[in-house]
């Protein structure tokens, strides 16, 4: 069908077209098909156009993967290159609560993405086309797992903004929880209750400069801080909107309170 369509379109319309692998498909029209063209040929031309687009369109398939404990991803990839996401994306908490929804275009996040917490409450809206934050939910110190620290003396007249992670205060921080595992088998010690604190150092340029985890298991007298390489993370996980002091970007720290789960990984507290 595709060969017939291409031949018919060139013979009937005198059109030339170029295929562009970066944009999937592109027409360069040399002259109008309408003047003096019978209706039958016009209809055939329109039909041929849609057939050609379908011929060149890349087929996608759906995949599902575990992102972290209790979190699964559902997304579209190219059938001939499953490493490249293309189409709808959704991350689910316990397979039912959406915590991230959006679109990929050839491996890149595009358009508006919505990020929720584990209860489904909207945390953030971010537009990747314009690289802009559209909404950030209010944060209250008595109910947040995050603390923020700046190495500056702050007065009552100063205006300070916190560092922000694209992805919201739940989904956006999952990579930092998923990168750590306690360096021993909890079951060998009777599964003691342990807590952990992640510390992220964010530069004035909005880059992840340092990542460390302090773990305490009081029943077995384990108290250890481990500095870990930032190379563990993807490039997008190293980018933040930096904290500011009176409009100027400054160095800051993000502290995340966590609990150690039975498998030795981290969950929000």
């Amino acid at each position: 069908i595709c060969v017939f369509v291409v031949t018919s379109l060139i013979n009937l319309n005198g059109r030339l077209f170029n295929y562009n692998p970066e944009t999937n498909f592109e027409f360069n029209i040399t002259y109008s098909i309408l003047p003096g063209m019978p209706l039958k040929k016009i209809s055939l031309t329109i039909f041929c156009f849609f057939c050609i687009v379908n011929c060149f369109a890349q087929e996608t398939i759906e995949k599902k993967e575990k992102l972290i404990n209790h979190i699964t991803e559902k997304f579209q990839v190219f059938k001939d290159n499953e490493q490249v996401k293309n189409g709808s994306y959704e991350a689910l908490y316990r397979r039912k609560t959406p915590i991230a929804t959006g679109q990929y275009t050839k491996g890149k996040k595009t358009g508006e993405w919505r990020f929720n917490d584990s209860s489904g409450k909207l945390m953030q809206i971010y537009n990747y086309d314009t690289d802009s934050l559209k909404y950030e939910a209010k944060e209250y110190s008595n109910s947040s797992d995050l603390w923020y620290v700046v190495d500056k003396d702050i007065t009552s007249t100063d205006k300070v903004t916190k560092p922000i992670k694209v992805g919201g205060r739940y989904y956006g921080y999952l990579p930092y929880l998923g990168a750590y595992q306690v360096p021993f088998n909890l079951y060998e010690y009777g599964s003691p209750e342990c807590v952990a604190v992640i510390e992220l150092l964010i530069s004035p340029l909005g880059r992840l400069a340092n990542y460390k985890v302090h773990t305490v298991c009081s029943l077995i007298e384990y108290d250890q801080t481990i500095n870990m390489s930032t190379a563990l993370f993807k490039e997008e996980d190293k980018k933040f909107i930096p904290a500011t002091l009176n409009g100027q970007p400054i160095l800051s720290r993000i502290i995340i309170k966590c609990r150690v789960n039975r498998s030795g990984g981290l969950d929000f507290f």
Side-chain angles (χ1 to χ4, degrees):
I1 295 176
C2 289
V3 174
F4 165 77
V5 169
V6 172
T7 303
S8 299
L9 195 59
I10 293 175
N11 289 343
L12 291 176
N13 305 317
R15 282 185 167 192
L16 299 177
F17 66 88
N18 292 323
Y19 174 64
N20 184 341
E22 293 298 319
T23 58
N24 283 340
F25 192 77
E26 179 179 305
F27 266 107
N28 294 323
I29 302 176
T30 55
Y31 57 84
S32 173
I33 65 171
L34 295 178
M37 179 175 286
L39 180 61
K40 182 177 180 181
K41 289 188 177 182
I42 294 175
S43 300
L44 178 59
T45 299
I46 295 173
F47 170 77
C48 291
F49 171 79
F50 286 106
C51 287
I52 288 178
V53 170
N54 288 331
C55 289
F56 283 105
Q58 291 178 275
E59 187 177 354
T60 60
I61 57 175
E62 183 177 276
K63 293 192 71 176
K64 294 181 181 180
E65 292 182 358
K66 180 179 178 180
L67 179 62
I68 194 177
N69 194 31
H70 304 312
I71 308 295
T72 55
E73 297 177 297
K74 184 169 62 174
F75 51 89
Q76 304 288 323
V77 297
F78 286 127
K79 186 175 181 179
D80 58 355
N81 186 355
E82 296 187 13
Q83 302 304 311
V84 180
K85 296 183 178 74
N86 191 73
S88 62
Y89 173 94
E90 186 175 46
L92 301 171
Y93 176 73
R94 294 189 181 276
R95 300 184 180 182
K96 62 179 181 180
T97 304
I99 59 171
T101 55
Q103 290 282 328
Y104 274 93
T105 302
K106 296 181 180 179
K108 295 183 178 181
K109 292 185 175 79
T110 55
E112 279 196 355
W113 280 57
R114 300 174 69 87
F115 302 102
N116 307 323
D117 65 11
S118 59
S119 68
K121 179 183 176 181
L122 181 63
M123 290 283 100
Q124 188 183 96
I125 300 175
Y126 193 84
N127 190 310
Y128 284 89
D129 290 345
T130 59
D131 197 24
S132 58
L133 184 67
K134 297 299 183 181
Y135 172 78
E136 177 77 7
K138 289 184 178 180
E139 187 172 10
Y140 302 95
S141 58
N142 60 349
S143 60
S144 177
D145 291 322
L146 306 180
W147 302 332
Y148 308 95
V149 179
V150 296
D151 298 329
K152 296 283 186 179
D153 293 328
I154 300 174
T155 68
S156 60
T157 59
D158 288 326
K159 183 177 180 181
V160 183
T161 63
K162 67 182 181 180
I164 294 176
K165 183 72 188 81
V166 175
R169 297 192 301 273
Y170 186 81
Y171 178 82
Y173 288 95
L174 291 178
Y176 316 112
L177 275 67
Y180 179 78
Q181 187 83 15
V182 293
F184 57 87
N185 189 335
L186 289 174
Y187 290 101
E188 293 181 1
Y189 297 92
S191 300
E193 290 190 4
C194 304
V195 295
V197 174
I198 297 173
E199 182 178 316
L200 307 176
L201 181 65
I202 311 302
S203 77
L205 296 177
R207 301 285 299 177
L208 177 63
N210 191 48
Y211 165 66
K212 62 183 178 182
V213 183
H214 179 204
T215 307
V216 176
C217 305
S218 56
L219 293 179
I220 60 174
E221 298 182 351
Y222 179 84
D223 189 329
Q224 186 77 36
T225 298
I226 299 178
N227 285 283
M228 302 178 67
S229 173
T230 58
L232 292 169
F233 304 106
K234 299 177 182 177
E235 183 61 25
E236 66 176 330
D237 296 328
K238 301 177 186 179
K239 295 181 179 180
F240 290 75
I241 298 172
T244 64
L245 174 61
N246 299 322
Q248 297 300 313
I250 58 173
L251 187 76
S252 63
R253 289 178 173 83
I254 302 172
I255 311 298
I256 311 171
K257 299 180 293 183
C258 306
R259 65 177 182 85
V260 179
N261 57 43
R262 293 181 178 181
S263 63
L266 300 181
D267 292 329
F268 284 105
F269 201 79

